[in-house]
Amino acid sequence: MRGIGKSFAGVRVLDDVQLTLYAGETHILAGENGAGKSTLIKILAGIYTEFTGEISFNGRPVRFKNPQAASALGIRVIHQELSLVREMSVLDNLFLGRELCRYSMLRRKTQREQAAALLQRLGLDLDLQRTAGSYPLGLQQMIEIAKALLGDAVVLILDEPTSALTGIEAEKLFAFMAALKERGCALIYISHKMEEIYRLADRITVLRDGRWIGSERADALPRAEMIRWMVGRELTGHFPARPALVPGAPALLRVTGFSVADPAGKRDFAVRDLSLEVRRGEIVGLAGLQGAGNSELLLGLFGAYPGGVRGLMEVEGKRLTPGSPAMAIAAGLALVTNDRKQTGLIADHSIRWNLTLAALRRLSPAGWLRPRRERACAADYLERLAIRAASSDQPVATLSGGNQQKVVLSKWLATQPRVLLLDEPTRGVDIGAKHEIYELMNQWTAQGLGILLITSEMPELLALSDRILVMHGGRVTAELSRRTATPEGIMRAAMGEEAAA
Amino acid sequence: QKSFTIGMSQCNLGEPWRVQMNADIKKSAAAHPELKLIYKDAQNDTLKQRAQIEEFVAAGVDLLIVSPKEAVPLTPPVAAAFKKGIPVIVLDRRLVGDQFTCFIGADNRRIGRAAGRWIVEKLHGTGQVVELKGLMTSTPGQDRNAGFRESIKETGIKVVFEADMKWLEPDARKEMESALARFPDIKLVYAHNDPGAHGAWLAAKAAGREKDILFVGIDGLPQEGRTYVKQGILAASFEYPTGGREAIDAALSILNGKPPAKEITLKSKAFTPENIEKGGEELP
Amino acid sequence: MKRSELMQQGRQWIRSPFARALLALICIAILGVIFNADGAFYKWSTHRDMFRQISVFGILACGLTVVIIAGGIDLSVGSLVGLNAVLFSMLTIHCGWPAAAAIAACLLAGTAAGVSSGGLVAKFRLQPFIATLAMMVFARGLAKWISGGQKVSSAVQQADGAYSYVETPAIFNALNARIWHDNVAVVSVVFLVCLAVTALILARLRWGRYVYAIGGNEEAARLSGVPVKATQLLAYGLCGLFSAVAGLCQAAQELQGDPEAGVSYELTAIAIVVMGGTSLAGGRGGVGLTLLGALTIGYLEKILSINAVGEAARLMLTGTIIVVAVIFQKGAKR
Amino acid sequence: MKRSELMQQGRQWIRSPFARALLALICIAILGVIFNADGAFYKWSTHRDMFRQISVFGILACGLTVVIIAGGIDLSVGSLVGLNAVLFSMLTIHCGWPAAAAIAACLLAGTAAGVSSGGLVAKFRLQPFIATLAMMVFARGLAKWISGGQKVSSAVQQADGAYSYVETPAIFNALNARIWHDNVAVVSVVFLVCLAVTALILARLRWGRYVYAIGGNEEAARLSGVPVKATQLLAYGLCGLFSAVAGLCQAAQELQGDPEAGVSYELTAIAIVVMGGTSLAGGRGGVGLTLLGALTIGYLEKILSINAVGEAARLMLTGTIIVVAVIFQKGAKR
Ligand SMILES: Nc1ncnc2c1ncn2[C@@H]1O[C@H](COP(=O)(O)OP(=O)(O)OP(=O)(O)O)[C@@H](O)[C@H]1O
Ligand SMILES: Nc1ncnc2c1ncn2[C@@H]1O[C@H](COP(=O)(O)OP(=O)(O)OP(=O)(O)O)[C@@H](O)[C@H]1O
Ligand SMILES: [Mg+2]
Ligand SMILES: [Mg+2]
């Protein structure tokens, strides 16, 4: 790809970008949120057809008219935003657009066999007939990956595939990627996770502000240098130091004997008889594998399942029945969900509308909107979280993934919460912004907030949490303090081994 | 020679009878090249018709023919036109009061009565009858029902099944099928329009009972009721004249300064297989 | 630099839904100038009457705009016009209620009907199309039932079957009149008031923002503390309220309550909302555009009517022009 | 273990859309047994006739099911019934075309109309509601134009204005007949064939998968290489084709082509689709359920009809029962 340029409504988001990809290599595409990575690969995949510059494939110039054309040459993409049809079965999703047919009649048996074989190779135990949308986000991501792996890929593009995966699933994916590489398949991999980048990379290309900064072999590009390429300045220390807890701080959130009925209806309970406590200024990490029930716990606490929860809950000493999100917000809770597209944002609406939605009761106490206050509030957060946008009137759908995540965070901070429930708060956020979010979290806890944090990134979990609760099958299997926690210990407990800490 | 513009406001063109009325007017007017007619159709909407009358007045037509959808709501606009000096001929349905030049119409109640009498005679005063009613929120439906009921009062004729088929043939067929399922001894079907009677006949034919039942309809349009009578489908169809020809006659006399009678009641005819070739028989 | 910025702004403005809707309206107006029916199009009375004719539809469209932005649809508005026209006429003419009481009763009845539809949608999670379709059928039946299938007018049937004529209540004439030196129909003023109320609600009330939010992404709205069900109930309730207002206006203009009034008005009203650029997918739109949509449809009908276009041709032209006008809008949606 | 598993399966089955739709149908049938109109409900002819009556609606519902699963809607099907009934009658009766040629011409015309709506949706990105609303108005106008506003029947007007009577073409009687010892109407068989074709397409063809995909998540489908526009065109085209089939059946049953035929049939057909549990949001549903929906609506109408329920009560009952029946479905959606 050479001299690639692309504009949206007059705004230039890619300018003279180049990328060369060799067979059998893993090529990392790195850059801050909104640098233009997803846009670049969408051009390569035939999704954006209007752009400047040229693409050549195996030495021949090509210009794809549609995704089918790219797919026909073996270019497969795992998109950043999930592109599954939630209502369709897993099987149909896997073969969507590439059904096996005889006289345009589906060869259903062959499809089932191939799919079963593939899922087995990936080590996934899924019901092929269930709808894809009924699986949790992480498994949906795995289905998406399986879909791209079906058939013969020549170029596989992965746009932040692990942002919704747990460690074990990510390992499976990496093993598969290695196998593909062996076969001579070229991989483009986009991620904001440094550990992954250096584990996988053969070569690295960095974009900044839609411009090509450089391409280099991974072993010739030290981590600090790459970060400098990405953000344009030095960034010291990956994780900011956490101040020690004030001893004997009062509990902000106390939960006893809390159960959540399984919303999917598969089991009886997603969370069973759980007790925990978050104290003022404390970050409590919640670890667990897919299906451990930690996301359901947060949703349940937040009142998203009225009637589906049992148990006692107190916020700042006051009893709270989790009846609705509105009640939870009023009590000082805030929930950042793990799926910003489905449950976090209203894609068509402007940044400002999204940002003020949860805080509207506070911003317009009499029921009358106060546009000037809203504007001020939005402007404040755009600046504080460094959200890259033309103005607060821009629809959030046109923001890059990371910036969308920052809008979600801002939305909840605007409610001035006492307890933050964070489910993968840094999902898809670039390293610079992650750093900012970590510092913000420290700041908030210093101001007396309590945070209940779910994250699938082990380093993040270990570095940020004051205490770590490990969940398995809806129960807490271990409680580890900051000092006693080790990745191995967490993994063991997450697999279901009861461990005393 | 002086030419005249006549505005014609038809309340809707969804019913064949009204299409026929426009056709009759057109046919009669064709013989008089000095008449220029403008047709508007109110799509069964009272307020649209009101607007049309206002438009005709604004455009300054020489004469207005209105076949109104409703009496009460259309009285004021017609009265306003009349007061402005535009002669108005009201066709088919009445208005309230006397603020118009001339009313031409047939009497649905009378036709219903005649149909009833004919039926009593035909059935020798006894038997089970099905009544398929036209839209009962419309005055023709109400009158054709009331007149019929007057005539069969205190006879042995019993209406065993009645349903509102809303002037629609498929609905008539549907309702008739239900009637047939319930009553094995139906002697006659009285439908408020010919398509309704035809729909009932289709149902009876499908059940193999069309020979045992007589079918009576109203309207007597050439391509519907009269055809059905000729084909032996209907035992009788009672004409509901459109008054199109009479309207043009009246218009000509008004425009020539010789106003006709304030009210012209149209004579209607009964068509039966016996008299159809002779052109029907005028009702008393 | 300055100039290109201006041009950029201009280009963006042209792409805005408002500009698109305006453009469609202007095109229709040009049609009117071309086919002016011997100058009838240039008379003020033509425009005044057009605005009066579209008012009932416009009032319905106001309520529908809210429901549609909230991600729903309401097919029952036409039937509610009939029901409320009958109810209002019964109460004022037959029962002799004072106008204010009758109006209050109708507004209450309309709101109750709307809230019922809303309840089916919010509480029983019925699809709005089917819930309001059922309400449409039900309300029509109710209108026929309470009126006994007769038009309710100043011609009152006596026990012996004869008709006596009573005075039409003053409220009918008041609503049917024109004000400002005969220049604007009262029902048009009612329409403008409904428009202003709706605009205020959508733009200035917190609840208005909630309406947009649940139409945009119901789940995200719920998790942001938006009271989804209450918002839906209110949206349908408001739509029912406006339907009642439209019913009063219809009765006043017809000087009677016709149980068949308002049949298929919902389709015209929805067309108005969509012509205005509000998306049926929900979450986007506004009522300022609905005014433009109403004018577009109003002029379209008026031009066809003053030119006395025949029934078949009129239907074909209406279909064609709706498509062309909405294609002008298409740039406005994503 | 075994037993609890069975119960679990049973519980899941009860929750399935099919079971729900069946339940609604059974409830209606029980109503029929209670109000059996002196045993009329127990006669075979009652059921046979019910099935005939619902056939035209059912044929429309087949096409609509596809369009609705594809995330669209088609309001023009009723008008297309009228248009094709007129066209078919004109061609066979007035122009003397052989039946096969006339049928082919009608199917082509219906498909063309459907593809046009589809083109407006796919190419110009009009909202389906408004695109097909325009088509509905246009097709009705066209039907009136080609028929001159009159019914096209075996009474043919001569140049002098008098009427002459021609024989009704055999194809009309063939379609209007019953087969299998008088037990099933031919139009009902046509309905079943349409149902089978639709079921085959949706369940077995690649294109059927595409229909579900674009209805479920158009963007994801596009990214997966589904030809979204072609799929939409085909869906609307199929719906138009089925409308033409319904038009032929309508003409045959009326023995004439009525330009007013099919008015508001689209609402009944949509109600059938939804009663069957297909979601108007798209992406979910099936045509097997549409059959159950058709039977439910068919029995509802039949029971009201054999009991000679008055118009007002009939409307109110229909509205109520639709709601109750669909509430049975609600567990089936999400
Ligand atoms: N459809 C669109 N319309 C307008 N602007 C867009 C659109 N899509 C992307 N952009 C803009 O293009 C820029 C690049 O976006 P892109 O999604 O490529 O970033 P990215 O590098 O993938 O970021 P991230 O790491 O957050 O995913 C962003 O500023 C974004 O706001
Ligand atoms: N969490 C917040 N984030 C951004 N802006 C805020 C926030 N809270 C308040 N503001 C802004 O500060 C101004 C005053 O807000 P408000 O009337 O809510 O007072 P307050 O709650 O006492 O806040 P503050 O402590 O900032 O004065 C407004 O312009 C409002 O938009
Ligand atoms: Mg991206
Ligand atoms: Mg503050």
Side-chain angles (χ1 to χ4, degrees):
Chain A
M1 299 177 84
R2 218 170 316 125
I4 302 290
K6 168 86 189 161
S7 307
F8 287 111
V11 182
R12 197 125 190 100
V13 298
L14 281 183
D15 194 13
D16 196 20
V17 170
Q18 59 192 43
L19 179 73
T20 314
L21 186 64
Y22 301 102
E25 75 162 350
T26 302
H27 196 122
I28 302 285
L29 194 54
E32 290 187 283
N33 292 134
K37 306 178 294 293
S38 299
T39 309
L40 183 68
I41 60 135
K42 280 183 181 163
I43 288 173
L44 179 57
I47 291 158
Y48 293 146
T49 49
E50 281 167 28
F51 59 90
T52 55
E54 57 203 51
I55 306 174
S56 54
F57 189 80
N58 285 339
R60 267 180 295 114
V62 287
R63 203 172 174 101
F64 303 122
K65 283 205 295 290
N66 50 34
Q68 291 101 297
S71 176
L73 288 182
I75 300 177
R76 299 283 150 74
V77 189
I78 296 163
H79 289 284
Q80 182 173 14
E81 304 298 339
L82 279 178
S83 57
L84 292 178
V85 182
R86 297 167 55 90
E87 291 85 0
M88 283 172 73
S89 70
V90 173
L91 179 68
D92 290 339
N93 265 297
L94 288 177
F95 283 94
L96 187 60
R98 275 178 293 134
E99 289 82 359
L100 303 179
C101 291
R102 189 183 294 127
Y103 313 119
S104 91
M105 294 277 275
L106 295 174
R107 294 165 63 188
R108 299 196 298 177
K109 193 148 159 277
T110 324
Q111 283 195 355
R112 256 200 311 275
E113 286 163 4
Q114 286 196 11
L118 176 72
L119 290 189
Q120 193 170 16
R121 269 189 295 154
L122 279 172
L124 286 174
D125 180 26
L126 300 176
D127 180 352
L128 284 173
Q129 301 304 334
R130 239 174 89 177
T131 56
S134 67
Y135 282 104
L137 196 69
L139 284 177
Q140 288 185 34
Q141 181 72 60
M142 286 308 283
I143 297 170
E144 180 98 26
I145 290 166
K147 180 176 158 188
L149 296 178
L150 198 67
D152 296 316
V154 177
V155 175
L156 182 65
I157 304 170
L158 304 99
D159 195 350
E160 303 191 28
T162 54
S163 68
L165 295 187
T166 58
I168 293 181
E169 288 157 341
E171 288 304 325
K172 287 183 197 160
L173 173 66
F174 296 154
F176 229 83
M177 284 168 61
L180 281 174
K181 220 167 94 171
E182 290 289 290
R183 284 205 339 238
C185 178
L187 300 155
I188 297 179
Y189 192 90
I190 300 175
S191 176
H192 292 296
K193 300 183 183 175
M194 281 299 147
E195 293 70 28
E196 282 178 3
I197 291 180
Y198 275 94
R199 222 185 108 179
L200 300 169
D202 294 317
R203 284 190 321 131
I204 298 175
T205 291
V206 177
L207 301 182
R208 189 165 79 222
D209 291 338
R211 274 188 301 278
W212 179 78
I213 299 299
S215 297
E216 188 57 80
R217 293 187 56 82
D219 40 25
L221 184 69
R223 190 179 287 221
E225 176 70 2
M226 189 191 82
I227 292 175
R228 208 176 55 74
W229 277 15
M230 276 167 59
V231 297
R233 66 190 151 90
E234 299 287 342
L235 211 61
T236 48
H238 196 159
F239 291 100
R242 275 209 44 79
L245 263 188
V246 184
L252 276 178
L253 173 72
R254 177 178 286 131
V255 177
T256 27
F258 199 76
S259 300
V260 179
D262 186 12
K266 281 280 269 191
R267 295 160 296 165
D268 285 346
F269 288 99
V271 177
R272 193 191 296 269
D273 211 14
L274 183 141
S275 301
L276 62 77
E277 191 179 273
V278 179
R279 280 176 291 165
R280 186 185 293 270
E282 187 183 35
I283 298 181
V284 176
L286 271 178
L289 298 179
Q290 205 53 253
N294 44 17
S295 291
E296 285 84 354
L297 171 65
L298 295 201
L299 284 164
L301 290 175
F302 197 62
Y305 308 126
V309 297
R310 276 211 315 259
L312 261 176
M313 175 176 174
E314 278 174 24
V315 180
E316 291 190 298
K318 283 197 287 286
R319 276 287 296 277
L320 174 69
T321 320
S324 75
M327 285 163 67
I329 292 168
L333 295 183
L335 169 68
V336 173
T337 59
N338 61 9
D339 187 350
R340 57 176 173 260
K341 197 174 174 190
Q342 294 291 334
T343 56
L345 293 169
I346 301 171
D348 282 340
H349 288 183
S350 67
I351 296 174
R352 179 155 42 88
W353 279 21
N354 272 288
L355 210 150
T356 56
L357 183 62
L360 220 47
R361 253 176 237 275
R362 187 177 61 76
L363 291 172
S364 61
W368 290 95
L369 293 177
R370 309 283 291 271
R372 219 168 316 149
R373 271 192 184 193
E374 280 186 43
R375 252 170 230 289
C377 176
D380 182 22
Y381 282 105
L382 281 189
E383 195 189 314
R384 266 162 59 184
L385 275 77
I387 296 171
R388 272 185 58 136
S391 82
S392 66
D393 290 322
Q394 196 178 337
V396 285
T398 62
L399 292 182
S400 75
N403 281 308
Q404 289 182 10
Q405 188 66 29
K406 290 191 200 167
V407 174
V408 178
L409 283 170
S410 311
K411 165 171 130 177
W412 288 110
L413 292 178
T415 64
Q416 302 182 333
R418 306 296 304 141
V419 182
L420 277 170
L421 312 173
L422 303 179
D423 198 348
E424 306 285 359
T426 58
R427 216 187 125 201
V429 173
D430 70 40
I431 174 153
K434 251 183 209 163
H435 200 80
E436 288 163 33
I437 291 175
Y438 298 151
E439 284 195 331
L440 283 171
M441 284 167 71
N442 278 346
Q443 230 171 298
W444 300 329
T445 46
Q447 286 166 11
L449 264 69
I451 295 178
L452 198 52
L453 171 74
I454 298 178
T455 170
S456 52
E457 278 187 74
M458 194 62 86
E460 195 173 285
L461 184 72
L462 289 171
L464 293 175
S465 314
D466 297 311
R467 234 162 4 108
I468 296 173
L469 302 178
V470 188
M471 287 179 67
H472 174 83
R475 297 171 194 275
V476 173
T477 47
E479 176 168 351
L480 308 163
S481 80
R482 188 182 180 75
R483 268 173 300 106
T484 56
T486 57
E488 295 72 34
I490 293 173
M491 274 332 276
R492 261 204 315 279
M495 308 282 269
E497 279 178 47
E498 300 272 347
Chain B
Q1 199 182 359
K2 198 166 182 274
S3 82
F4 301 103
T5 308
I6 297 178
M8 160 69 196
S9 173
Q10 180 62 272
C11 76
N12 80 75
L13 282 176
E15 301 162 32
W17 184 81
R18 295 190 174 277
V19 177
Q20 185 67 35
M21 182 199 284
N22 275 20
D24 287 349
I25 292 177
K26 210 170 268 171
K27 197 171 139 203
S28 296
H32 303 277
E34 73 272 24
L35 298 183
K36 182 172 164 260
L37 271 118
I38 302 169
Y39 300 89
K40 291 191 184 184
D41 148 41
Q43 295 162 279
N44 227 356
D45 188 321
T46 312
L47 296 183
K48 251 187 205 146
Q49 192 159 29
R50 170 179 162 183
Q52 285 176 356
I53 294 167
E54 289 165 356
E55 282 163 25
F56 277 135
V57 173
V61 293
D62 298 304
L63 187 138
L64 205 52
I65 303 176
V66 179
S67 185
K69 172 167 156 56
E70 300 286 344
V72 174
L74 290 167
T75 299
V78 166
F82 184 67
K83 281 199 195 115
K84 278 212 167 140
I86 300 175
V88 187
I89 298 173
V90 179
L91 253 181
D92 176 37
R93 290 187 193 167
R94 274 168 203 286
L95 294 183
V96 182
D98 60 354
Q99 297 288 304
F100 50 81
T101 316
C102 166
F103 167 77
I104 302 173
D107 186 343
N108 269 313
R109 206 174 175 116
R110 221 180 70 190
I111 293 172
R113 263 198 304 266
R117 273 198 307 273
W118 186 91
I119 288 166
V120 171
E121 198 175 312
K122 190 85 184 169
L123 295 183
H124 308 296
T126 174
Q128 294 189 344
V129 170
V130 170
E131 184 179 6
L132 295 176
K133 301 185 282 191
L135 194 62
M136 284 308 280
T137 47
S138 71
T139 40
Q142 291 159 4
D143 289 345
R144 288 173 191 189
N145 168 263
F148 170 66
R149 294 298 171 119
E150 267 171 47
S151 287
I152 64 165
K153 221 184 322 176
E154 289 157 16
T155 69
I157 305 270
K158 236 180 89 199
V159 177
V160 290
F161 191 93
E162 56 184 307
D164 193 338
M165 50 85 178
K166 293 168 265 178
W167 309 119
L168 299 174
E169 180 160 343
D171 285 42
R173 179 171 180 183
K174 194 171 84 184
E175 299 302 339
M176 186 63 192
E177 277 171 353
S178 299
L180 290 168
R182 282 191 63 179
F183 301 100
D185 197 26
I186 297 166
K187 288 282 182 279
L188 184 142
V189 176
Y190 167 60
H192 287 186
N193 66 352
D194 293 326
H198 187 244
W201 175 79
L202 286 171
K205 184 160 177 275
R209 285 167 64 181
E210 83 277 15
K211 295 274 185 303
D212 315 330
I213 301 175
L214 298 175
F215 299 88
V216 175
I218 294 182
D219 280 349
L221 290 186
Q223 75 279 25
E224 288 180 350
R226 276 186 248 170
T227 304
Y228 300 148
V229 171
K230 256 185 213 170
Q231 292 172 333
I233 293 172
L234 298 194
S237 173
F238 292 82
E239 183 190 29
Y240 185 69
T242 66
R245 188 169 49 79
E246 291 80 356
I248 290 299
D249 291 348
L252 284 167
S253 36
I254 293 169
L255 293 170
N256 293 324
K258 287 172 287 187
K262 183 99 189 170
E263 185 154 339
I264 302 171
T265 307
L266 297 171
K267 288 266 195 295
S268 48
K269 291 176 178 173
F271 299 105
T272 58
E274 295 79 45
N275 67 22
I276 184 81
E277 295 305 336
K278 300 193 301 261
E281 189 177 309
E282 206 145 280
L283 290 182
Chain C
M1 206 64 221
K2 208 61 191 269
R3 216 181 116 228
S4 81
E5 220 167 67
L6 257 177
M7 269 180 55
Q8 165 86 10
Q9 275 200 347
R11 229 176 300 138
Q12 248 178 11
W13 186 82
I14 286 284
R15 285 217 198 91
S16 76
F18 180 79
R20 300 264 173 181
L22 198 62
L23 217 64
L25 176 58
I26 290 171
C27 290
I28 295 277
I30 290 173
L31 267 188
V33 171
I34 298 173
F35 302 101
N36 59 35
D38 308 324
F41 189 72
Y42 302 130
K43 290 194 185 139
W44 171 240
S45 67
T46 303
H47 301 265
R48 179 193 67 196
D49 292 347
M50 180 283 300
F51 200 42
R52 177 179 61 68
Q53 274 173 266
I54 206 64
S55 293
V56 164
F57 296 99
I59 295 169
L60 295 180
C62 287
L64 269 169
T65 304
V66 176
V67 169
I68 289 175
I69 290 177
I73 190 120
D74 193 344
L75 299 179
S76 71
V77 293
S79 290
L80 291 182
V81 165
L83 177 61
N84 283 290
V86 166
L87 191 63
F88 184 57
S89 308
M90 298 274 289
L91 293 179
T92 49
I93 303 176
H94 289 194
C95 309
W97 285 29
I103 291 178
C106 286
L107 298 189
L108 213 68
T111 312
V115 169
S116 312
S117 306
L120 291 177
V121 173
K123 185 112 187 67
F124 292 99
R125 304 197 58 65
L126 292 198
Q127 299 180 20
F129 193 99
I130 203 75
T132 59
L133 180 66
M135 177 55 81
M136 159 180 159
V137 176
F138 182 85
R140 182 67 66 196
L142 195 59
K144 291 194 178 190
W145 185 62
I146 64 173
S147 67
Q150 303 273 0
K151 269 119 216 181
V152 183
S153 71
S154 52
V156 183
Q157 196 164 23
Q158 303 301 303
D160 61 354
Y163 285 88
S164 77
Y165 292 89
V166 301
E167 193 69 32
T168 311
I171 179 72
F172 280 76
N173 296 321
L175 273 174
N176 193 19
R178 283 196 291 262
I179 53 171
W180 288 326
H181 305 290
D182 230 31
N183 277 331
V184 185
V186 172
V187 291
S188 301
V189 176
V190 174
F191 170 32
L192 289 176
V193 170
C194 290
L195 211 57
V197 168
T198 315
L200 194 78
I201 288 174
L202 286 178
R204 281 307 161 106
L205 288 198
R206 181 169 65 201
W207 177 61
R209 185 66 57 76
Y210 287 167
V211 167
Y212 281 97
I214 64 171
N217 182 344
E218 190 178 315
E219 188 56 18
R222 195 170 70 91
L223 288 176
S224 301
V226 173
V228 174
K229 290 183 184 182
T231 306
Q232 279 176 334
L233 279 184
L234 276 168
Y236 284 91
L238 187 75
C239 191
L241 176 72
F242 281 153
S243 306
V245 173
L248 302 185
C249 293
Q250 182 79 7
Q253 288 181 89
E254 291 196 24
L255 298 179
Q256 69 179 10
D258 180 354
E260 297 283 346
V263 169
S264 85
Y265 278 24
E266 59 280 353
L267 291 182
T268 309
I270 293 172
I272 286 176
V273 176
V274 176
M275 298 277 273
T278 294
S279 157
L280 285 170
R284 270 171 301 169
V287 83
L289 305 175
T290 298
L291 174 61
L292 294 184
L295 292 178
T296 309
I297 297 259
Y299 274 117
L300 174 57
E301 295 216 329
K302 197 74 196 171
I303 292 164
L304 292 171
S305 176
I306 57 176
N307 284 289
V309 176
E311 142 111 308
R314 201 195 45 224
L315 290 173
M316 290 196 280
L317 278 172
T318 305
T320 313
I321 294 179
I322 287 183
V323 164
V324 174
V326 181
I327 285 179
F328 271 113
Q329 299 284 358
K330 87 183 144 106
K333 31 169 299 190
R334 65 173 69 192
Chain D
M1 206 65 220
K2 207 62 193 267
R3 214 180 117 228
S4 82
E5 220 169 68
L6 257 177
M7 268 181 57
Q8 166 84 9
Q9 273 200 349
R11 229 179 299 140
Q12 249 179 9
W13 186 82
I14 286 285
R15 284 216 200 92
S16 76
F18 180 80
R20 299 262 173 183
L22 197 63
L23 218 63
L25 175 59
I26 291 171
C27 291
I28 296 278
I30 290 172
L31 267 188
V33 171
I34 298 173
F35 302 100
N36 60 35
D38 309 324
F41 189 73
Y42 303 131
K43 289 193 186 141
W44 170 239
S45 68
T46 301
H47 303 263
R48 180 193 67 196
D49 292 347
M50 180 284 300
F51 200 41
R52 183 190 59 71
Q53 281 160 20
I54 208 64
S55 294
V56 162
F57 297 98
I59 295 169
L60 295 180
C62 288
L64 269 168
T65 304
V66 176
V67 169
I68 288 175
I69 291 177
I73 191 122
D74 192 344
L75 299 180
S76 70
V77 293
S79 291
L80 291 182
V81 165
L83 176 60
N84 283 292
V86 166
L87 191 62
F88 183 57
S89 307
M90 297 276 288
L91 293 178
T92 48
I93 303 177
H94 289 197
C95 309
W97 285 30
I103 292 177
C106 286
L107 298 189
L108 213 68
T111 312
V115 169
S116 310
S117 306
L120 291 176
V121 172
K123 184 113 186 65
F124 292 99
R125 304 199 57 66
L126 292 197
Q127 299 179 21
F129 194 99
I130 202 76
T132 58
L133 180 65
M135 178 54 82
M136 159 180 161
V137 176
F138 182 85
R140 184 66 66 195
L142 194 60
K144 293 199 171 189
W145 185 62
I146 63 175
S147 67
Q150 295 283 6
K151 292 174 189 171
V152 183
S153 68
S154 53
V156 183
Q157 196 164 26
Q158 303 301 303
D160 63 352
Y163 285 86
S164 74
Y165 309 96
V166 301
E167 194 68 34
T168 311
I171 179 73
F172 280 74
N173 295 320
L175 273 174
N176 193 22
R178 283 196 292 263
I179 52 172
W180 288 326
H181 305 290
D182 228 34
N183 278 330
V184 185
V186 172
V187 291
S188 301
V189 176
V190 174
F191 169 33
L192 290 176
V193 170
C194 290
L195 212 56
V197 169
T198 315
L200 191 79
I201 289 175
L202 286 178
R204 287 301 164 99
L205 291 199
R206 177 197 337 224
W207 177 62
R209 276 305 120 83
Y210 291 170
V211 167
Y212 281 97
I214 65 171
N217 184 344
E218 189 178 317
E219 187 58 22
R222 208 170 58 85
L223 292 180
S224 306
V226 172
V228 175
K229 290 184 184 182
T231 306
Q232 279 176 334
L233 279 184
L234 276 169
Y236 285 90
L238 186 76
C239 190
L241 175 73
F242 281 153
S243 306
V245 173
L248 302 186
C249 293
Q250 182 79 9
Q253 287 181 87
E254 293 193 33
L255 298 182
Q256 66 185 7
D258 182 353
E260 293 284 334
V263 169
S264 84
Y265 279 23
E266 60 279 355
L267 292 182
T268 309
I270 293 172
I272 286 175
V273 176
V274 176
M275 298 276 273
T278 294
S279 158
L280 285 171
R284 267 171 303 170
V287 83
L289 305 176
T290 297
L291 173 62
L292 293 184
L295 292 177
T296 309
I297 297 259
Y299 274 117
L300 174 57
E301 296 213 330
K302 194 74 202 172
I303 292 164
L304 292 171
S305 173
I306 56 174
N307 285 289
V309 176
E311 177 70 10
R314 201 180 277 204
L315 290 172
M316 290 196 280
L317 280 172
T318 305
T320 312
I321 294 179
I322 287 183
V323 164
V324 174
V326 181
I327 286 179
F328 271 113
Q329 297 285 356
K330 89 183 144 103
K333 30 169 302 190
R334 74 173 66 192

